[in-house]
Amino acid sequence: MGITMTRRAVFSAAVVVTALVAACTASGSCDMFTGTWVTDEKYPLYDSASCPFIRSQFDCRRFNRPDTKYLKYRWQPKPPCSLPRFDGLALLRMWAGKKVMFVGDSLALNQYESLLCLIHAAAPNAKYTVSPRSRKINPASTVTFREYNVTLVYYVTHYLVDIVKEKAGRVLKLDEIDEGRNWLGADVLVFDSWHWWPRSGPKRPWDYIQEGSKVMKDMDRTVAFAKALNTWARWVDANLLHTSTKVFFQGISPSHYRGQEWGAARRKTCMGETEPLNSTGTYPGGPIRQQGIIRSVLASMAKPVYLLDFTFMSQLRKDAHPSKYNGGNFGRDCTHWCIAGLPDTWNILFYAALTGQRG
């Protein structure tokens, strides 16, 4: 039950559903994703030095980030909402015998490793195994908490749809999702996509785009994203509608490379930022257009999908990126997020959605 969209239709649909929370965001009058950042001396929720799961590119404290204020902010949803206390032991018990899988790009990995740290902080003596032992992601990395028989998996896919090597080159197949067979059997699935779609030049991992029998050198990337997301939606409805699998989609995570988006100089980036933007209304740079496409597609699906609508709260956190404190992995990184840090709040909201707690 896909949606065929022209560029104009894509954005018309996005406008229509901007005020909607697609298929299962916070119910009633309680919107957990609207609020502000407040300081809280009880934060962070764990010491990153004690977490064995953080990759160097997210481990800002390890690489000597000098300020700590970014660790001290708690998300305060608009009343009557409030954040629940994250209970890692309760989550392990709830997930006993289950598999939880994060599917997407490195922003999904950001959330995955934060969740592992939160669980480890709650159960520091719990035995676990990591597979593969090298921790190389090809295409997945798995951590199993043996005592609870809980398996958490990160599966890397930058586009959700397939990239196939053919004689002509690498082809991005907008209407194929064969690798989805690797996601079947998970009890909880968390997806994300968009970060890689605008890439061009040597950083682009495909040579052609194909839809049906039509092969192109390129096309409008937002239109391509919408087509791919509809392919993903059809896959979810075909394979998961009659299962108990809980499905989530991570809202688009913003970058902070253009200071004019938050009222600073145009060439300002996240470098040196130590405080969030103080805003309870709209982000000065406006919403991310593609977030509307996600809302529209989720609203069209038969399978309920919970939108983890992290975008606005993350737009405010220009201070929470690794910048240069990332072991030299991504240069001056204003895309990913420090762990401990902002992704911990993502996971508290994930926990609230899983448990039905909204204050």
Side-chain angles (χ1 to χ4, degrees):
M1 52 173 296
I3 302 173
T4 301
M5 290 188 175
T6 64
R7 187 177 184 184
R8 179 177 296 175
V10 165
F11 291 114
S12 295
V15 169
V16 169
V17 299
T18 295
L20 299 177
V21 180
C24 304
T25 49
S27 61
S29 61
C30 189
D31 179 2
M32 298 289 280
F33 304 104
T34 300
T36 190
W37 291 100
V38 297
T39 55
D40 190 332
E41 288 304 315
K42 294 179 182 178
Y43 275 53
L45 300 176
Y46 56 86
D47 180 359
S48 59
S50 68
C51 180
F53 303 112
I54 309 175
R55 292 171 192 275
S56 59
Q57 54 262 46
F58 308 144
D59 199 349
C60 304
R61 297 295 292 158
R62 176 184 170 190
F63 292 102
N64 302 312
R65 178 167 174 169
D67 61 305
T68 60
K69 201 170 181 180
Y70 74 96
L71 294 167
K72 298 292 185 180
Y73 288 100
R74 172 176 54 83
W75 180 245
Q76 179 59 60
K78 186 177 179 180
C81 305
S82 62
L83 287 185
R85 183 180 67 87
F86 183 91
D87 189 336
L89 285 174
L91 194 58
L92 285 170
R93 296 185 190 108
M94 184 176 75
W95 280 344
K98 298 185 184 299
K99 179 192 287 187
V100 179
M101 183 177 288
F102 288 76
V103 179
D105 56 35
S106 52
L107 282 314
L109 179 62
N110 236 172
Q111 185 180 355
Y112 171 74
E113 293 194 348
S114 160
L115 182 61
L116 290 173
C117 290
L118 286 164
I119 290 173
H120 182 264
N125 297 317
K127 305 289 187 191
Y128 63 86
T129 55
V130 179
S131 178
R133 289 186 179 181
S134 67
R135 306 199 179 198
K136 184 177 181 181
I137 301 168
N138 187 27
S141 179
T142 300
V143 174
T144 301
F145 292 92
R146 299 200 302 268
E147 178 183 346
Y148 298 90
N149 191 23
V150 174
T151 300
L152 292 102
V153 182
Y154 168 66
Y155 187 100
V156 62
T157 172
H158 298 125
Y159 298 92
L160 297 180
V161 293
D162 297 336
I163 296 177
V164 178
K165 291 184 179 179
E166 299 183 349
K167 287 184 178 179
R170 303 160 299 174
V171 183
L172 178 62
K173 306 267 190 173
L174 296 182
D175 49 10
E176 292 185 14
I177 196 163
D178 291 341
E179 68 176 331
R181 64 184 182 276
N182 298 306
W183 315 333
L184 296 173
D187 298 282
V188 179
L189 281 163
V190 183
F191 293 94
D192 96 299
S193 189
W194 172 247
H195 177 57
W196 279 66
W197 284 91
R199 290 198 174 200
S200 59
K203 293 183 178 181
R204 192 183 76 179
W206 50 267
D207 304 302
Y208 300 94
I209 294 180
Q210 182 173 352
E211 182 186 21
S213 60
K214 187 176 181 181
V215 180
M216 298 154 278
K217 283 291 290 182
D218 207 343
M219 68 183 298
D220 181 284
R221 302 299 180 79
T222 295
V223 173
F225 171 65
K227 291 176 182 292
L229 201 60
N230 276 289
T231 298
W232 167 84
R234 289 192 296 270
W235 180 90
V236 168
D237 281 345
N239 290 279
L240 302 178
L241 179 59
H242 300 296
T243 72
S244 60
T245 302
K246 292 182 172 64
V247 184
F248 297 81
F249 204 98
Q250 186 192 94
I252 293 174
S253 177
S255 298
H256 290 94
Y257 291 102
R258 295 184 290 272
Q260 72 268 29
E261 292 183 353
W262 63 88
R266 182 176 62 85
R267 298 183 67 180
K268 185 77 174 74
T269 71
C270 72
M271 286 291 297
E273 293 289 341
T274 60
E275 295 182 348
L277 189 68
N278 184 15
S279 175
T280 57
T282 58
Y283 182 62
I288 297 175
R289 295 185 303 168
Q290 292 77 16
Q291 184 79 347
I293 295 169
I294 294 173
R295 291 177 182 274
S296 177
V297 172
L298 298 192
S300 77
M301 296 172 65
K303 176 72 175 180
V305 178
Y306 189 111
L307 177 61
L308 295 166
D309 196 1
F310 302 146
T311 303
F312 172 69
M313 68 173 63
S314 304
Q315 284 178 316
L316 301 180
R317 293 305 305 273
K318 55 187 171 61
D319 60 312
H321 297 285
S323 62
K324 66 180 181 180
Y325 304 104
N326 62 11
N329 285 279
F330 292 114
R332 299 195 171 192
D333 183 5
C334 298
T335 295
H336 302 94
W337 308 94
C338 296
I339 302 176
L342 172 64
D344 302 326
T345 297
W346 293 358
N347 280 312
I348 295 171
L349 290 162
F350 180 39
Y351 176 80
L354 287 162
T355 60
Q357 298 182 50
R358 292 181 172 82

